[in-house]
Amino acid sequence: MPNSRSVELLRGLAVAAALAVAEPVMAHSPTGQVAGRAEALVGSLDAGQREKAVLPFDGEARKDWHYTPRRRPGLRLDEMSDDQRRRAWALMAAALSEVGFDKARGVILLEKILGEDSGNTAWRDPGNYAFAFFVQEGGRIGGAKPWGWRFEGHHLSLSFTVAPHLDLSFTPAFFGANPAVVREDHPEHGGMRLLADEHRLAFELLESLDDGQRGRAIIAGRTAGDIHSGPGRGLPFDAPEGLPASAMTEAQRDLLMRLVETYVGNVGREFAFRQMKRIEAAGVEKLHFAWTGATRPDAPHYYRIHGPVTLIEYDASQGGGDHVHSIWRDPTDPFGEDLQRRHLTEQHDHSHPHPH
């Protein structure tokens, strides 16, 4: 039977999320909106909560990400008041697109469903999702120095870095789904597929390939069992593999870019627009599409898209293909490192103005 505390928490999260989306935005810039809502959440915490939630920017915790249901740095949703959870979802609504926001909520919903189906509602806990904020020494959220935060729990790990007045970095960004498709007889959510576009567009692209293209795209008959660029692994590939976009038709390249946009588009529109411009500037023709495992949807399969500023992986190896792990990373900007360099350069330029 469902855990009553988890059911009540999930209902509360749905209400908080709805209020967060409806909340008016007062700040002018997208990074200002994010900073304002992060300040509002952290400002609502008591001393004990703040000690859990606010951590050093240069500490180990900022890069200690994972997608298992473990103990993790930060303040859990079930350690917050209803008002604090509303503020937390307001922050997520400022940083994510509507689609990305719904996916994050969907992962937590699947955690409840997984708990019910497995009979393990204590371990599969929708309250075990935590916010952690990372602030530099002498800095503050919304201040002059870059800062960041992560929202993380089972099958969800979203790492953000903010450079004031410059941009927001959203890498690595992990979404998982178990089950990939909710059983048809579920009373409320039967047949729901959380990562539907990530699945559908990849198969459309694969099926559009001719024999020669498919021979280049399929690099192995079996999957490795999970994504390659998981926690602590960095960039596991020396070079892109598979079929380059330069060997695709225009229609196939359009499909490929729609698939890329499905991942990049989880973040807010202006942030996603700038990232897509980075991908285009680095060369769409340099993107590679690689596939391993089965070529039918109901069996274990995997794909990745790899290019100069793009690494996407989607793995459906476990559960006969009914358990998905997916990740988007910018290989040049792990945990906002490139964004921080750009921020330092901008600071230097502003402190040494060119003579007229």
Side-chain angles (χ1 to χ4, degrees):
M1 293 294 292
N3 181 295
S4 59
R5 185 184 67 85
S6 294
V7 171
E8 288 303 315
L9 176 66
L10 206 62
R11 287 174 181 159
L13 293 180
V15 172
L19 290 172
V21 172
E23 182 175 287
V25 173
M26 305 305 293
H28 296 293
S29 71
T31 54
Q33 295 168 16
V34 169
R37 292 188 177 186
E39 286 181 288
L41 172 57
V42 173
S44 74
L45 305 180
D46 64 32
Q49 290 174 314
R50 188 181 294 245
E51 185 176 0
K52 284 186 174 183
V54 182
L55 304 169
F57 188 86
D58 296 323
E60 293 182 3
R62 191 166 73 91
K63 297 181 180 179
D64 180 24
W65 72 279
H66 217 297
Y67 47 84
T68 57
R70 62 169 188 165
R71 289 185 175 274
R72 50 187 25 92
L75 184 68
R76 291 163 42 127
L77 288 172
D78 61 5
E79 296 173 316
M80 298 180 184
S81 68
D82 289 344
D83 178 67
Q84 289 167 342
R85 285 191 285 268
R86 181 190 63 78
R87 294 173 188 270
W89 283 114
L91 169 59
M92 295 292 285
L96 297 177
S97 66
E98 184 176 349
V99 170
F101 185 86
D102 285 344
K103 285 179 189 175
R105 292 175 57 207
V107 171
I108 297 174
L109 171 63
L110 285 182
E111 186 72 349
K112 173 180 175 287
I113 293 172
L114 181 60
E116 294 170 359
D117 288 350
S118 67
N120 192 354
T121 55
W123 184 240
R124 306 300 184 185
D125 183 0
N128 189 20
Y129 288 77
F131 281 84
F133 295 87
F134 305 103
V135 180
Q136 297 192 45
E137 185 175 357
R140 64 178 181 84
I141 294 171
K145 296 183 177 182
W147 58 279
W149 91 97
R150 182 172 63 238
F151 181 49
E152 184 178 274
H154 184 217
H155 279 161
L156 184 68
S157 184
L158 307 179
S159 294
F160 303 86
T161 304
V162 180
H165 312 298
L166 186 58
D167 208 349
L168 175 147
S169 172
F170 178 54
T171 175
F174 179 98
F175 289 87
N178 183 16
V181 182
V182 177
R183 55 188 170 82
E184 290 289 346
D185 64 347
H186 190 278
E188 295 179 79
H189 305 288
M192 182 185 90
R193 181 185 284 274
L194 180 64
L195 302 176
D197 288 342
E198 291 86 341
H199 176 268
R200 176 182 58 81
L201 290 170
F203 273 96
E204 283 185 23
L205 178 55
L206 181 69
E207 290 163 5
S208 76
L209 304 180
D210 63 30
D211 289 344
Q213 291 173 314
R214 185 174 284 222
R216 297 179 70 180
I218 299 175
I219 60 174
R222 298 182 62 181
T223 73
D226 201 353
I227 59 172
H228 296 259
S229 58
R233 299 176 202 163
L235 186 65
F237 309 111
D238 294 330
E241 297 179 280
L243 179 69
S246 59
M248 296 180 183
T249 67
E250 182 177 354
Q252 289 166 342
R253 282 193 298 274
D254 287 345
L255 260 178
L256 178 69
M257 292 307 291
R258 285 172 60 197
L259 184 54
V260 171
E261 288 172 1
T262 298
Y263 288 84
V264 177
N266 289 321
V267 74
R269 181 175 61 183
E270 293 193 38
F271 305 123
F273 176 80
R274 288 195 284 272
Q275 186 62 42
M276 290 302 297
K277 287 297 183 184
R278 276 171 57 83
I279 293 170
E280 292 169 3
V284 171
E285 73 282 356
K286 297 177 183 177
L287 293 173
H288 286 62
F289 178 65
W291 190 280
T292 68
T295 56
R296 65 178 198 273
D298 59 346
H301 58 276
Y302 162 96
Y303 69 82
R304 71 172 170 266
I305 301 169
H306 188 187
V309 295
T310 307
L311 177 59
I312 289 167
E313 292 190 273
Y314 176 103
D315 181 84
S317 294
Q318 301 176 44
D322 194 38
H323 182 157
V324 174
H325 292 167
S326 75
I327 191 167
W328 177 80
R329 304 183 79 151
D330 181 339
T332 69
D333 190 31
F335 300 96
E337 290 178 7
D338 180 64
L339 180 60
Q340 294 169 66
R341 286 190 292 268
R342 287 160 52 202
H343 181 263
L344 287 173
T345 299
E346 184 181 79
Q347 275 192 326
H348 179 79
D349 289 346
H350 287 173
S351 61
H352 297 83
H354 297 291
H356 293 289

